[in-house]
Amino acid sequence: MTDHRPTYDWNPRSDTVLDNPVASFDDMRQRCPVARSKYMGWSVFRHEDVLAVVTDHETFSNQVSKHRSVPNGMDQPEHTPYRTLIEPFFTDQRMALFEPECRDIAAELARAIAGRKQVDIVAELAEPFALQIQCAFLGWPDSLQEPLREWAHENHEATLAGDREAMAEIAQRFSRYIHELLETRREQGNWVPEDPTTEIMRSTIDGQPIPEKDIVSILRNWTVGEIGTIAASVGLLLKFLADHPSLQATLREDVDLIPEAVDEILRIHGPLVTNRRKATGPATLQSRQIETGDRVTVNWISANRDEGVFPQPDQFRWGRDQSQNLLYGAGLHVCPGAPLARLELRVLMEALLQISGAFAPTPDKAPVNAYYPASGYQHLWLDFDES
């Protein structure tokens, strides 16, 4: 059937967008806040419209993939018991128990780069930190860190290329990692370690054991979210602080300001670019008619730079209303792991600012931007003074 609706408004895969995504999103938010493209369907750029989509769970479904995704790709009522299962892993008590191990990892990595020049932050800090923290939190062996790094990179490349065959193979490879982990734990019997992986393996939904494919999906979603967003966040935070030495000095003097600074820096340029929804019925956004079955992509980075909510959005400001910050999403699917992410970023920033000397961009080594669907940097070189 011929689609008689308006032609496409933008090309999110153009060189202009890929080379400078934030500026492109800002332009679209002003010029065409609900825009149609071949690659993304409808893209939603304004804060109020993003909130409207992600909080209207009747009209905009999270079931956007033919592959089961637990719990990210579920709607109510199926979503509720899985969300109830997952949330206790991120309580204040759990975070307090994990903080010492998190501090040890952060301190070791901070000491390894202190006083050095031309440090590629992505390769030597951001990715190692995300991988080590993920394995430590879930109780996975260190031997999985390098396979997970390769898996994350290949998954990003396949997603960028739209290579569905490669994406399927990569997903199967991750599933094999998890199946092997679970089988090893079953063989350990009473000697199995007590950690989130074991707890999920033993958990039930409505009195029934969780199917192994759902366990794999939960752990895959945690891993994709953790490795990609934490690594991107570290790069974005350090680039901003390297470019703003007075703010860097302020945080060295008062580490209690770090949590607010982290949220504000990542509001300016966040680690997660978009999420998808599917319209279950007709809807209207900014006078654009959304039809049943249409793909709708919410743009978190753009929403967090909306001038109507955050005046002069490029400026770092103390005291902004961070309750409006969509860094961790909103609605039923707001990120359950936000407490863990906040802990990790706070602890790493504290370690770097206390252990390393002042840092600045390496002269003549321009950062290399990451390409969508990633955010942040592929490479970021910084020089560290002696502490």
Side-chain angles (χ1 to χ4, degrees):
M1 180 176 176
T2 303
D3 190 341
H4 296 291
R5 286 179 292 175
T7 56
Y8 300 126
D9 302 299
W10 73 309
N11 178 10
R13 307 192 78 179
S14 71
D15 290 343
T16 300
V17 176
L18 292 175
D19 290 342
N20 197 340
V22 174
S24 298
F25 301 155
D26 288 346
D27 173 64
M28 294 303 298
R29 187 175 63 253
Q30 300 295 332
R31 181 169 58 83
C32 189
V34 178
R36 192 163 173 252
S37 70
K38 182 177 181 180
Y39 182 56
M40 289 185 176
W42 292 102
S43 289
V44 181
F45 294 97
R46 287 187 181 167
H47 192 281
E48 65 173 327
D49 296 322
V50 167
L51 269 183
V53 170
V54 300
T55 58
D56 184 352
H57 308 291
E58 297 296 325
T59 306
F60 298 101
S61 169
N62 269 60
Q63 294 185 4
V64 296
S65 173
K66 46 182 159 175
H67 302 291
R68 185 173 173 83
S69 178
V70 183
N72 311 41
M74 292 177 163
D75 295 326
Q76 292 179 303
E78 186 181 31
H79 170 265
T80 303
Y82 280 94
R83 180 74 185 213
T84 302
L85 167 72
I86 287 170
E87 285 181 341
F89 289 98
F90 303 102
T91 62
D92 291 345
Q93 182 181 15
R94 289 264 192 162
M95 297 303 96
L97 289 172
F98 183 57
E99 183 166 340
E101 187 171 6
C102 188
R103 285 194 176 279
D104 288 343
I105 293 170
E108 183 178 354
L109 289 168
R111 284 192 290 267
I113 62 176
R116 290 177 50 202
K117 308 299 182 187
Q118 297 189 29
V119 178
D120 185 345
I121 288 299
V122 176
E124 297 196 50
L125 178 67
E127 288 185 349
F129 180 70
L131 289 160
Q132 289 180 39
I133 285 290
Q134 176 71 354
C135 288
F137 181 71
L138 290 175
W140 293 358
D142 291 345
S143 59
L144 259 185
Q145 290 177 26
E146 192 54 35
L148 285 175
R149 184 202 294 262
E150 293 176 3
W151 175 83
H153 279 283
E154 291 178 20
N155 189 54
H156 169 253
E157 292 297 326
T159 303
L160 178 62
D163 188 339
R164 296 190 177 279
E165 184 176 336
M167 290 165 67
E169 189 280 324
I170 291 164
Q172 285 299 316
R173 194 189 321 159
F174 184 89
S175 297
R176 288 196 295 271
Y177 295 154
I178 304 306
H179 287 308
E180 290 171 6
L181 277 172
L182 298 180
E183 187 58 34
T184 298
R185 284 168 189 250
R186 293 188 186 98
E187 292 171 355
Q188 290 175 309
N190 293 333
W191 300 100
V192 66
E194 296 297 329
D195 53 40
T197 300
T198 298
E199 289 183 53
I200 290 172
M201 186 175 72
R202 291 172 172 169
S203 295
T204 60
I205 296 288
D206 297 329
Q208 298 299 315
I210 301 175
E212 185 148 328
K213 63 179 174 39
D214 285 358
I215 297 174
V216 171
S217 183
I218 291 169
L219 294 173
R220 181 191 298 118
N221 285 330
W222 277 6
T223 303
V224 170
E226 182 74 7
I227 294 175
T229 57
I230 291 299
S233 294
V234 172
L236 290 164
L237 289 167
L238 292 193
K239 177 64 165 62
F240 194 91
L241 292 177
D243 289 340
H244 297 81
S246 62
L247 176 59
Q248 187 183 145
T250 297
L251 297 180
R252 287 181 192 279
E253 294 171 5
D254 188 352
V255 295
D256 290 340
L257 295 174
I258 288 176
E260 182 181 354
V262 166
D263 280 359
E264 174 65 353
I265 293 169
L266 296 180
R267 178 201 62 75
I268 294 171
H269 187 169
L272 182 62
V273 185
T274 62
N275 275 141
R276 295 182 298 159
R277 299 291 191 271
K278 183 171 68 174
T280 60
T284 303
L285 293 170
Q286 297 291 337
S287 301
R288 305 301 296 268
Q289 185 62 42
I290 315 296
E291 303 291 352
T292 302
D294 281 357
R295 292 174 296 149
V296 178
T297 304
V298 294
N299 191 303
W300 302 113
I301 289 179
S302 176
N304 270 342
R305 296 171 56 81
D306 189 326
E307 298 82 353
V309 181
F310 303 104
Q312 296 180 297
D314 267 321
Q315 290 188 7
F316 178 97
R317 286 189 181 179
W318 295 109
R320 287 199 196 262
D321 181 6
Q322 295 297 338
S323 70
Q324 297 298 305
N325 190 336
L326 300 180
L327 176 60
Y328 297 104
L332 285 174
H333 293 275
V334 64
C335 178
L340 178 61
R342 286 194 166 104
L343 166 68
E344 293 168 354
L345 295 174
R346 171 177 61 82
V347 165
L348 181 61
M349 291 301 108
E350 288 178 7
L352 281 168
L353 293 169
Q354 291 172 339
I355 292 172
S356 74
F359 51 89
T362 298
D364 304 321
K365 295 277 283 186
V368 179
N369 291 334
Y371 280 130
Y372 181 85
S375 180
Y377 304 97
Q378 296 183 55
H379 300 284
L380 171 65
W381 291 274
L382 300 179
D383 290 349
F384 288 80
D385 294 340
E386 296 289 345
S387 57

